Amino acid sequence: MLDAAAIAADIGRKYKTPVVILASGALCHSEGLVRLGKVRKCSPMDIPGDLTKFNTLPVTARANYNNVLKERMPALVEMVENSPLNRWTRGSGKTGVITYGVNSAFVEEVKAVYGADIDILSLGFTNPLPKKLIESFFGAISGDVYVIEDGYRYLQEELAAMGLAVKGKEEFSNQSEWSPADIARTMGFSAPARAMTVPPIKRPPMICAGCPYRLYADVVSKLKKRGKIDTVFGDIGCNTLLSFFGAMDAWLAMGTSEGMRTGFSVARPEKAAKCISVLGDSTECHSGMDATRNAIFRKVPGIKVVLDNNWTAMTGGQPSPASPVNLAGETTKFDLVGELKGAGTDVITVSAYDRKAIQKGFREALDRADKGEFLTLVVRGTCIKKVPNKNKIQRLTVNRDKCDKCYTCLICPGIEKDEDGFPVFNNMCAGCGGSEEACRQMCPFDAMELKTEDAAATGAKVEFETPPEIPVERPDAASLPEKISLAIRGVGGQGNLFFGRVMTQLAFLAGYGEKNIVKGETHGMAQMGGPVLSTFSCGKAHSPVLMPGSADCIVTMEMGEVLRPGFLDLLKEGGTILTAKTRIVPQGMDPELYPTADQLAEATRGFDTIEVDVLGKALEIGDATGRSANVVMMGALSKTQAFAAIPEALWLQAVRNVSPTPAIWAANYKAFTEGRTLI
């Protein structure tokens, strides 16, 4: 992928053609070792004075098309036939695999794990295909030739059209993306698959604790139950998760919600006044505005809601035109409410952290929609991950004398029931970013009160001692394993991605960068409470997706996550399960349905299992948020069999390399060293 951009640019310039770099989902969620080349600088191409050849009048387009077929395509075919990007890894010619992209790494992993005698043809291009090379490869194989490709059977059908009898997917196969285990089983190798007697915990992703969407979701779900709102058309992004609150029904793509609502309302005018559309401020900017203008133009009554959190939150917090600053950090002048008013709609603006204002805004909007108007409701509250640090966050406690255990306050993962059934705040509480707390507004008994205890209890930062200097020496390569593999499971927000970054730094410091380092992760649900898996391998490693039976250790940051299908299968014979004693019950789930200790013990029977209370240790050292629990776990991991060969100093240096400030490094140093005491 590093090389692909420069290669694509070169091909584009030489052959005057657009070039697509195809990256599958598995590749996009992976990282691997790359070698940096020399920086190349290209001068801008000369722009001709006459640009008429770029128009699409039929006479021009036809001439351009003829030129593509006469000159460009034959030249591209010759180029792909002779390109070094097509790699033929030779075996004895008994079995062959034709593949491309990240599946090349998966096939290499299968070959390495099973010592398989396989010829592999990894294609650098799929259009046009190097057909002569493929025919030569096919002719050199005496046995079966498999086609391994993601998505549809494009390559398989192209080869069949060439008259080559290859093995691949069935006609209506639902195999979308491959894994090394899938490939192994398809080729007749045995990949272990353990049957789980205890079902995994259903853990749908949720919006963050303290998210400004939460009160809005509560209001809308209640209006739906009372029949005041009929249908909610939604967006793609954080607000898609409102469906788990019963506050969203249907969605298709970013920014399409208002277009869907308008079309539905035209087809069902009797429901128009009770239909609403929802989208974020960023998707309103890039594709929602045209639908707003269309609704106004067609005079379609109803309500459009813009959830304005200032940022493109789910995909990384980057700014949009509606954000306070642009990509360069410069103040933006775009006025979202002014844009809506300029399009011709009346706008009702409310605070996302003011429940009564949201209720009042909907009452007005629904009443006016019933009279045939189109209204826009803008709900404003900054993304909880982008709230300025200067915002003062109050810490609450529950007055048990006032609390009636009605549980209306349990609308957020930052508050849960304790052993006595009273609501209690946990380490996920974000204090609603310094705004009026949502749970406090829900309580009908005024039982939420400000804490008056010591600084640590109220969430004030604890100062950690400055760590000593760490002398770092690379260990003798002969003392280290040829390959190390690790899989980490947790719940979104527990720091899996940081864990992976530390492991990468550790591998470089230990000298594995001279061989290979690969990392994979399903991080789409990071911070959202859904299941998250990270993998790491170094040394004689190929694939970011681990083969069953190849991991030296599997780590669970939440004890119930060990039940995820296929997770235990990753552990090699004699490997270690390192599990946190942390128990996170999904919001809305009856705690009685959470797997018991006996059930978890039965599921892991026969494995070497070590339990460590990493969250308890993080809280004990003064981290009121518990966020350093992942670093505590790294300390424990450094004492396990497969990883103890790497000196402690290298682990600490790896943690230091990814700690952005001296204060964070001091806290992480304390967490790591305390974690080592748990083993």
Side-chain angles (χ1 to χ4, degrees):
M1 286 300 290
L2 174 69
D3 296 337
I7 293 168
D10 288 342
I11 293 172
R13 286 189 170 210
K14 182 175 181 179
Y15 299 96
K16 296 182 174 63
T17 181
V19 182
V20 174
I21 301 172
L22 179 63
S24 67
L27 186 58
C28 291
H29 284 242
S30 304
E31 295 177 27
L33 187 63
V34 297
R35 307 292 181 187
L36 297 179
K38 293 182 179 179
V39 175
R40 292 177 52 193
K41 295 183 179 180
C42 297
S43 300
M45 294 185 70
D46 292 333
I47 302 297
D50 181 9
L51 298 180
T52 55
K53 69 176 183 179
F54 295 104
N55 70 48
T56 55
L57 285 171
V59 64
T60 309
R62 183 72 223 192
N64 288 337
Y65 181 70
N66 291 347
N67 188 58
V68 166
L69 296 182
K70 181 181 178 180
E71 297 182 10
R72 181 195 295 175
M73 291 307 298
L76 286 171
V77 168
E78 182 180 0
M79 183 271 293
V80 300
E81 288 284 3
N82 298 291
S83 172
L85 296 178
N86 301 313
R87 298 198 317 272
W88 184 340
T89 304
R90 294 183 181 269
S92 66
K94 294 179 180 178
T95 303
V97 176
I98 303 175
T99 187
Y100 56 89
V102 75
N103 287 314
S104 299
F106 293 172
V107 176
E108 291 284 0
E109 188 79 6
V110 172
K111 181 174 182 175
V113 169
Y114 292 97
D117 182 9
I118 306 172
D119 280 61
I120 305 169
L121 179 60
S122 174
L123 301 178
F125 303 90
T126 54
N127 181 42
L129 283 171
K131 292 184 179 180
K132 291 180 181 179
L133 175 62
I134 291 170
E135 288 174 340
S136 176
F137 177 84
F138 188 86
I141 306 300
S142 60
D144 293 328
V145 176
Y146 294 86
V147 173
I148 303 297
E149 62 180 324
D150 292 333
Y152 296 111
R153 305 189 308 166
Y154 160 74
L155 179 58
Q156 181 180 339
E157 292 179 357
E158 285 289 315
L159 300 188
M162 292 168 57
L164 306 181
V166 295
K167 288 192 169 185
K169 300 176 185 176
E170 297 296 328
E171 185 175 3
F172 297 109
S173 169
N174 62 2
Q175 179 83 47
S176 53
E177 291 193 2
W178 292 87
S179 70
D182 293 332
I183 295 170
R185 295 185 184 110
T186 296
M187 298 187 68
F189 299 107
S190 175
R194 183 184 178 94
M196 300 298 293
T197 57
V198 183
I201 300 164
K202 293 182 179 179
R203 200 180 291 281
M206 300 294 288
I207 55 178
C208 301
C211 174
Y213 297 161
R214 198 167 294 276
L215 284 173
Y216 163 84
D218 178 73
V219 171
V220 171
S221 63
K222 286 182 169 62
L223 288 170
K224 284 195 68 183
K225 289 176 182 177
R226 286 160 37 200
K228 300 292 185 181
I229 292 176
D230 182 274
T231 307
V232 182
F233 295 97
D235 198 10
I236 287 183
C238 291
N239 56 60
T240 303
L241 304 178
L242 297 177
S243 59
F244 296 112
F245 293 84
M248 190 174 289
D249 298 304
W251 59 93
L252 180 65
M254 288 185 174
T256 61
S257 55
E258 177 53 30
M260 294 173 72
R261 186 202 69 83
T262 300
F264 183 84
S265 298
V266 169
R268 295 287 186 273
E270 71 279 4
K271 295 191 174 197
K274 292 185 178 181
C275 288
I276 70 174
S277 65
V278 184
L279 74 171
D281 52 307
S282 57
T283 45
E284 161 67 10
C285 290
H286 79 61
S287 57
M289 295 178 183
D290 54 347
T292 302
R293 291 190 291 268
N294 186 51
I296 295 166
F297 172 68
R298 301 191 63 162
K299 295 184 179 291
V300 179
I303 303 170
K304 173 179 181 174
V305 178
V306 179
L307 297 174
D308 181 8
N309 69 1
N310 292 154
W311 305 92
T312 312
M314 178 172 269
T315 52
Q318 69 269 32
S320 75
S323 300
V325 297
N326 64 13
L327 289 164
E330 301 162 336
T331 301
T332 55
K333 294 183 177 180
F334 178 79
D335 180 355
L336 178 64
V337 171
E339 176 268 325
L340 290 165
K341 290 180 178 178
T345 174
D346 281 353
V347 181
I348 300 171
T349 304
V350 297
S351 167
Y353 289 103
D354 189 337
R355 183 170 177 245
K356 291 181 178 179
I358 298 171
Q359 291 171 329
K360 181 181 177 183
F362 264 112
R363 281 196 299 269
E364 179 184 346
L366 287 167
D367 180 63
R368 292 175 63 177
D370 191 49
K371 296 174 181 176
E373 292 187 51
F374 172 72
L375 276 296
T376 302
L377 180 65
V378 176
V379 182
R380 287 189 147 161
T382 302
C383 170
I384 199 69
K385 300 300 179 184
K386 302 291 286 187
V387 170
N389 292 330
K390 64 182 180 181
N391 284 29
K392 184 178 180 181
I393 298 175
Q394 302 179 118
R395 296 297 175 185
L396 301 177
T397 187
V398 175
N399 186 325
R400 297 193 174 201
D401 294 331
K402 293 182 179 180
C403 179
D404 195 56
K405 295 183 181 179
C406 68
Y407 303 131
T408 55
C409 61
L410 298 182
I411 64 167
C412 174
I415 186 170
E416 60 188 17
K417 299 178 190 176
D418 67 7
E419 61 275 8
D420 298 320
F422 284 100
V424 61
F425 296 92
N426 58 37
N427 64 288
M428 287 190 283
C429 175
C432 289
S435 299
E436 186 177 358
E437 299 82 357
C439 55
R440 195 177 189 183
Q441 295 180 62
M442 298 297 295
C443 180
F445 303 103
D446 197 25
M448 302 276 183
E449 298 176 352
L450 293 178
K451 271 190 173 183
T452 56
E453 298 154 74
D454 59 45
T458 56
K461 290 184 178 180
V462 175
E463 297 292 334
F464 293 95
E465 293 183 6
T466 302
E469 287 300 314
I470 306 166
V472 176
E473 292 185 11
R474 179 181 289 189
D476 179 17
S479 68
L480 298 175
E482 284 190 333
K483 178 183 177 182
I484 300 177
S485 291
L486 173 70
I488 311 156
R489 269 210 172 274
V491 175
Q494 287 193 297
N496 269 36
L497 307 191
F498 182 82
F499 208 127
R501 288 198 295 274
V502 172
M503 296 306 299
T504 300
Q505 289 291 318
L506 178 68
F508 273 111
L509 292 169
Y512 285 104
E514 297 171 6
K515 296 179 181 178
N516 200 12
I517 302 169
V518 286
K519 183 163 71 79
E521 47 207 24
T522 54
H523 61 259
M525 296 299 103
Q527 303 175 343
M528 299 299 172
V532 180
L533 170 66
S534 296
T535 59
F536 167 83
S537 292
C538 62
K540 291 185 176 180
H542 301 277
S543 168
V545 180
L546 301 186
M547 276 288 299
S550 67
D552 296 285
C553 181
I554 59 174
V555 175
T556 55
M557 292 298 298
E558 198 279 345
M559 57 196 303
E561 287 302 297
V562 76
L563 300 173
R564 292 287 161 207
F567 187 54
L568 285 173
D569 298 338
L570 298 178
L571 192 63
K572 66 169 55 173
E573 186 175 347
T576 303
I577 299 174
L578 189 59
T579 182
K581 293 183 179 180
T582 307
R583 182 174 180 263
I584 300 177
V585 180
Q587 188 181 358
M589 176 183 175
D590 185 347
E592 297 296 322
L593 299 178
Y594 192 93
T596 65
D598 289 342
Q599 287 175 316
L600 292 173
E602 175 61 26
T604 56
R605 185 166 53 87
F607 294 99
D608 178 18
T609 303
I610 302 173
E611 294 185 354
V612 284
D613 186 8
V614 294
L615 178 58
K617 179 61 72 173
L619 297 172
E620 178 187 314
I621 65 175
D623 176 11
T625 68
R627 290 174 186 160
S628 63
N630 58 346
V631 185
V632 176
M633 182 64 87
M634 293 175 210
L637 177 67
S638 71
K639 296 287 291 289
T640 61
Q641 182 178 358
F643 296 92
I646 302 176
E648 179 185 3
L650 264 65
W651 284 89
L652 287 167
Q653 187 61 46
V655 175
R656 183 176 188 173
N657 286 354
V658 294
S659 299
T661 66
I664 293 175
W665 160 230
N668 286 341
Y669 175 85
K670 178 69 172 177
F672 182 88
T673 53
E674 288 294 325
R676 285 177 62 85
T677 68
L678 297 177
I679 300 294

